[in-house]
Amino acid sequence: KTVMVATRHDSHAALVELALRAQKHVFCEKPLAITEAELEAVELAYRASTGVLMVGFNRRWSPAISETTRLLGGGGAHVQIMYRINAGQLPSDHWLNDRRMGGRLLGEGCHFIDTCNAIVGEAPRSVLMITSGRGELTLDQDFTVTMGYPNGSQAVIVYASSSSTQPGKEHLEVLGSGWSIHISDFASLIAYGPKKTVKRSYRPADKGHRRELEVFAELVSGSGYASSVAENAFLTSRVAFAAIRSATTGEVVHL
């Protein structure tokens, strides 16, 4: 009754659509789709299916993000987010450099869009993406995505491929509600807040993979929030496509 999709990116949407139309539960590694037409087809299949759909946006399920949303009061707080990713350069013959695979924004950048959405607890209302302008746009390995939210929150994602990775890959700062929260590679969290400091260490680093699969098992067994999990995945995909449109036009895209 359950299908796991962990193939290369260009086959994800077609496999997910087939499985949903066969009334299967589906776990799909990100990205869910690499074109907007594919995403629309998957959404239509999901809405006609009895199957559960979950996409592998694991960071929202990490203990560091759970702690962050707890400190901020459970979501919906006005915050500013700075998310820096030292991604490292891909070899020239890497399969992600094939335009059919969607590039690094659709292939990995969606992770960070989803994490920001999870922290804010809202859908962005505007997206602006700027790339380095070197080579084909969708294959650019250096870009910045800025998102604005209805409650005034802002998130900036800086994705860099040419810097040193020695300081670690992912560093996340969340500022708001009296808190200054710093997450380093999902291995540690330090939060400076009203009258106290909170420190957490996660050894080994925990990006939420285990909890993500536990949640999927709960959904398959009949948990009541399956719809919100799928809708969050659709939202993240739509924001990623909006970012591509923004980079193409040079303008802010309003959602």
Side-chain angles (χ1 to χ4, degrees):
K1 291 184 177 181
T2 300
V3 174
M4 307 286 284
V5 177
T7 54
R8 287 190 176 181
H9 298 170
D10 60 339
S11 59
H12 286 191
L15 292 172
V16 171
E17 182 183 357
L18 284 171
L20 288 171
R21 293 198 182 280
Q23 312 305 314
K24 305 294 186 183
H25 302 305
V26 185
F27 181 95
C28 178
E29 264 303 339
K30 51 77 192 163
L32 180 57
I34 57 172
T35 70
E36 292 186 84
E38 286 181 347
L39 178 62
E40 182 179 354
V42 170
E43 285 197 61
L44 288 172
Y46 171 74
R47 301 196 192 289
S49 179
T50 58
V52 164
L53 172 62
M54 185 173 190
V55 180
F57 295 127
N58 50 280
R59 284 159 179 77
R60 69 164 52 232
W61 306 108
S62 68
I65 298 304
S66 295
E67 180 73 353
T68 295
T69 56
R70 185 188 71 80
L71 292 172
L72 294 172
H78 171 262
V79 295
Q80 291 173 291
I81 302 171
M82 291 163 283
Y83 202 154
R84 173 171 59 83
I85 300 97
N86 287 324
Q89 191 75 31
L90 291 176
S92 60
D93 60 349
H94 193 281
W95 61 271
L96 261 180
N97 289 323
D98 183 336
R99 66 176 61 86
R100 294 172 296 181
M101 302 300 163
R104 295 188 92 169
L105 182 277
L106 293 179
E108 186 183 27
C110 54
H111 262 318
F112 316 120
I113 291 170
D114 187 75
T115 304
C116 293
N117 291 347
I119 293 169
V120 177
E122 291 189 344
R125 66 180 178 187
S126 62
V127 183
L128 173 67
M129 177 176 171
I130 300 172
T131 69
S132 71
R134 296 178 297 183
E136 190 171 332
L137 186 149
T138 57
L139 298 181
D140 205 316
Q141 298 189 39
D142 297 279
F143 53 82
T144 300
V145 177
T146 301
M147 298 182 291
Y149 293 83
N151 72 352
S153 294
Q154 304 146 47
V156 179
I157 300 166
V158 177
Y159 189 99
S161 67
S162 55
S163 60
S164 170
T165 57
Q166 291 186 45
K169 181 183 178 183
E170 297 177 43
H171 296 272
L172 179 60
E173 289 185 76
V174 183
L175 312 176
S177 295
W179 289 95
S180 179
I181 303 170
H182 304 255
I183 299 170
S184 295
D185 260 345
F186 293 87
S188 65
L189 174 149
I190 182 166
Y192 304 96
K195 300 181 181 179
K196 65 177 179 179
T197 298
V198 175
K199 295 182 179 181
R200 300 284 185 264
S201 179
Y202 311 106
R203 302 293 179 186
D206 189 341
K207 292 184 178 180
H209 294 94
R210 181 184 179 91
R211 179 58 188 152
E212 170 187 67
L213 293 176
E214 290 174 347
V215 169
F216 181 61
E218 292 168 9
L219 299 181
V220 169
S221 67
S223 174
Y225 57 98
S227 176
S228 65
V229 169
E231 295 299 337
N232 284 333
F234 294 144
L235 168 64
T236 293
S237 300
R238 286 194 291 270
V239 174
F241 289 127
I244 293 293
R245 291 200 304 275
S246 173
T248 302
T249 63
E251 299 178 350
V252 173
V253 172
H254 298 280
L255 300 169

